[in-house]
Amino acid sequence: MLEILCVVDDDKIFTYLLKRIIEKAKIAREIIFFENGRDAIDYLNSHKEDALKLPQLILLDINMPILDGWQFLNEYGKLKPDVPRPISICMMSSSSEMEDYNRAMGSGHVMDYLQKPVQIPSLKEVTERVLSFLGPK
Amino acid sequence: MTPETAQHLAISDDRITLCRTGSATMKASQDGLPEQIAEFFRGIFSQSEWPARWYCGSWSDFHGWLYIVSDIVIWAAYFLIPIFLIRFVRSRKDFPFPKTIWLFIAFIAFCGATHLIDALIFWIPVYRFSALIRFATAVISMTTVYYLFKIFPNVLLLRSVSDLQREIDERTAVEEKLAESEFLLSAASNVGKLGGWEYDPATGQFRWTATCGNILETNEERIQNETDLLRFFPEPYQLIVRAALRESIDTGSSWDHELQITTATGARKWVRFSATPSLNASGQVNKIRGIIMDIDRYKTLELKLIKSIDQMAQKNSQLQSFTHILSHNLRNHSSNIALLADFVDESTLTKDNEELFQKIKTVSRHLNGTLDDLSQVIKIRDNHLEGEKLNIREVTEQVLGVLDENLHTSQAEIGMDFMEEEIVFPRIYLESILMNLISNGIKYKKDNQHPVIQLRFYRNEKGLKVLEYSDHGKGIDLSLHADKIFGLYKTFHKHEDAHGVGLFLIKNQIEAQGGNIQVFSKVEAGITFKITFNENA
């Protein structure tokens, strides 16, 4: 089970559903929701010293106002060296375009790309990978 | 008429009457030659040594006067002929061989003179003078012969009057033809609005054909130098023309520009203005020639067309992004519905509501399915995939592998007759086509029969590769459904798996790659699809 999971998505219905899925599948202890990339980056920036406040996994949507998924990745790249523990990012989108998949995986910060509607098994699989990556506490 | 010095002595028994003078007969040749010559010239006009011819031999009146008159007439003729010749030579300065004519004049005149003297000798025996004149005549005659010999080949070259006339006629005919073809040419260039021009860099002067005047709507003769010409070109084009002319003069390069002019009446026209310099022997530009053509009609159309195409391209890309965004957003909503539906605890619903809810879930499923199809079609329409070299047998066997279970269950028979081996085509499309057609073949087999499918691959008469699918299944009534068979969501049989998307998709895939698909079928007599590939598209 993850300590902190971040969901960055502007679709309220989808985030509501995600919350229920995550709680049902007991994937994370704490879930923080952000409606756009700007809010998410601001949070990361203000807590970058504090390892306990930082998420292990971020589920990132592509289409959002103010700062979209790609722009978030850009900003995250600048902040990555300052972060004590690596954060895994998994992109989510209803887009099935190969270009989006390639762009995500090519950014260097994304570990996987899930297509909406997101199924529980896929989420679980991603979580397992993150946990094994982080190693035993 | 008897001179004292002459005596007519008749020797009585001599048949020939001798002429004798008073002086003793002395052979003049007894003196040496130089003495003879001197003697000759000293007494050139002397008459004393010979008798007048009347008294030399027996001359009857008739005989004598016949001789005299003939000589006089000859002299007259030989006197008049040169007069004519002199008139010819003097009046027609272009009379050929004048020198020879003068020689003729001379020798005829001298010849006449000898005859005149011969006649006079009947009274005045100036034999020495006569000999001298004869000698001169001989010299002139031989000179004439010599000249004639020299000019003979040239005389042969002289054309006869009929020759010359013929040549004139021929030339007149050619001139007429030339005039005709010039007229045709100028008429043609007028109709085609094509004018020619010439520029002499040495004088800076232009020359124009009449059509140029029509194009520029002015008298073309008034456009003499570069300044005159540039007045017809509005600002940006003036620079182009000036620079182009300069470059031609300096480097001898040709140019061909499409420019706008303002005619003398103020109208704006598009013209094609081109130039080709010609170089002299030392490689310098001595003349520049070119054309000026009214292309206003074509250029205006071209510009309109380009504008249309640009507008269409813009609209198209707008449409594309619109459909992308729309389908993307729609999919978000439809996937949310599906997820929400999953979370509902159906056990708490009343029977009615549960039934209704089931229907909602079905609708949500269909909604997602439709959107999936839509996004597939959009993807095909947008993209032209790169073809790869595929082995038809290998791809077919792969597809058959995927369908293995279905084939087994239905006991389908698949025949493969591949006369060609390779095709350049995107792999996923070819798989999709084969998959669709074969699974349709299984789906729409005749009841109580197993599917019999034949696949053929060959080159048609036009050299294009053709994939043919035929089966002995239920077939389709083309008289009813011909135009709908490839339509989206058009199904023809009651079959729970009849989705209506497969044929639509493969038609789009085939056409996106430049090919086409035809269908032949009769109810209960199977169906044949012929796919013609275009590897060059």
Side-chain angles (χ1 to χ4, degrees), chain B residues 161-332:
Chain B
V161 172
S162 58
D163 271 345
L164 284 171
Q165 186 61 39
R166 198 161 9 109
E167 188 162 317
I168 290 173
D169 288 337
E170 272 173 25
R171 296 247 172 127
T172 314
V174 168
E175 266 169 34
E176 269 172 26
K177 271 209 197 112
L178 190 65
E180 252 178 59
S181 95
E182 260 191 33
F183 175 72
L184 205 60
L185 191 65
S186 102
S189 68
N190 238 352
V191 167
K193 301 199 191 158
L194 175 66
W197 59 270
E198 197 180 72
Y199 177 75
D200 187 346
T203 62
Q205 297 286 312
F206 276 96
R207 272 179 20 174
W208 310 90
T209 65
T211 313
C212 298
N214 293 347
I215 295 174
L216 295 164
E217 289 174 17
T218 180
N219 179 357
E220 70 276 2
E221 286 171 18
R222 280 205 247 126
I223 313 171
Q224 300 212 310
N225 56 29
E226 195 176 324
T227 322
D228 296 333
L229 174 66
L230 287 177
R231 242 184 278 131
F232 287 91
F233 289 93
E235 243 319 310
Y237 304 108
Q238 253 193 37
L239 291 170
I240 299 176
V241 171
R242 206 201 296 259
L245 262 179
R246 205 104 324 268
E247 211 187 306
S248 298
I249 298 174
D250 294 338
T251 68
S253 55
S254 313
W255 44 269
D256 189 347
H257 291 303
E258 289 180 354
L259 312 156
Q260 270 198 320
I261 56 162
T262 318
T263 69
T265 62
R268 270 231 168 179
K269 266 192 220 179
W270 277 97
V271 296
R272 180 175 168 192
F273 194 27
S274 78
T276 311
S278 83
L279 308 173
N280 64 11
S282 35
Q284 296 211 305
V285 176
N286 65 347
K287 276 263 164 43
I288 303 182
R289 291 190 190 94
I291 56 124
I292 181 164
M293 182 170 175
D294 181 346
I295 54 168
D296 197 58
R297 209 177 74 196
Y298 311 108
K299 192 72 185 177
T300 324
L301 242 112
E302 181 191 326
L303 290 173
K304 265 200 208 141
L305 203 66
I306 291 178
K307 197 157 151 205
S308 276
I309 292 177
D310 282 341
Q311 278 176 346
M312 273 205 332
Q314 202 186 44
K315 283 225 173 82
N316 204 29
S317 87
Q318 278 175 353
L319 191 64
Q320 268 189 16
S321 42
F322 176 71
T323 46
H324 271 290
I325 294 170
L326 201 58
S327 90
H328 187 92
N329 287 349
L330 286 171
R331 292 187 69 176
N332 272 344

Side-chain angles (χ1 to χ4, degrees), chain B residues 11 19 45 100 113 119 134 157 160 170 198 234 248 260 265 271 284 339 368 370 382 386 460 484 490 529 537:
Chain B
I11 299 177
C19 305
F45 289 112
T100 316
R134 270 173 213 269
L157 285 178
S160 69
E170 272 173 25
E198 197 180 72
S248 298
Q260 270 198 320
T265 62
V271 296
Q284 296 211 305
L339 275 179
N368 272 311
T370 306
D382 279 352
E386 281 307 310
N460 70 4
K484 294 192 232 141
K490 304 271 193 259
F529 289 95

Side-chain angles (χ1 to χ4, degrees), chain B residues 70-114:
Chain B
S70 303
D71 264 337
I72 300 273
V73 172
I74 289 174
W75 169 77
Y78 280 31
F79 177 72
L80 290 171
I81 291 175
I83 293 201
F84 275 113
L85 288 178
I86 289 173
R87 285 183 68 187
F88 279 156
V89 176
R90 284 221 127 119
S91 60
R92 299 281 307 268
K93 292 280 157 61
D94 59 329
F95 213 79
F97 315 114
K99 269 209 281 244
T100 316
I101 304 289
W102 280 109
L103 278 174
F104 264 79
I105 293 171
F107 103 74
I108 293 175
F110 269 84
C111 212
T114 60

Side-chain angles (χ1 to χ4, degrees), chain A residues 11 14 17 20-21 63 94, chain B residues 328 332 335-336 339-340 343:
Chain A
D11 183 345
F14 179 71
L17 286 162
R20 290 195 61 164
I21 292 175
N63 293 313
S94 45
Chain B
H328 187 92
N332 272 344
S335 90
N336 279 346
L339 275 179
L340 284 167
F343 270 95

Side-chain angles (χ1 to χ4, degrees), chain A residues 70-112:
Chain A
W70 307 119
Q71 290 162 327
F72 172 86
L73 282 178
N74 235 352
E75 295 295 309
Y76 174 75
K78 296 179 199 164
L79 142 67
K80 198 166 170 183
D82 302 334
V83 165
R85 206 175 44 192
I87 305 177
S88 306
I89 304 185
C90 180
M91 279 197 114
M92 299 182 300
S93 179
S94 45
S95 157
S96 54
E97 299 276 323
M98 269 315 265
E99 301 158 29
D100 288 332
Y101 177 82
N102 290 333
R103 192 176 171 186
M105 302 312 278
S107 69
H109 313 299
V110 175
M111 59 162 313
D112 208 344

Side-chain angles (χ1 to χ4, degrees), chain B residues 387-393 395 420-427 430 457-458 464-467 531-535:
Chain B
E388 5 172 350
K389 212 198 280 202
L390 304 170
N391 180 305
I392 191 91
R393 188 174 287 269
V395 178
E420 289 281 336
E421 283 185 4
E422 291 190 334
I423 178 76
V424 176
F425 201 68
R427 195 189 187 92
L430 186 58
F457 189 56
Y458 57 86
L464 298 173
K465 292 189 184 149
V466 176
L467 174 65
I531 298 163
T532 312
F533 295 98
N534 187 349
E535 285 171 303

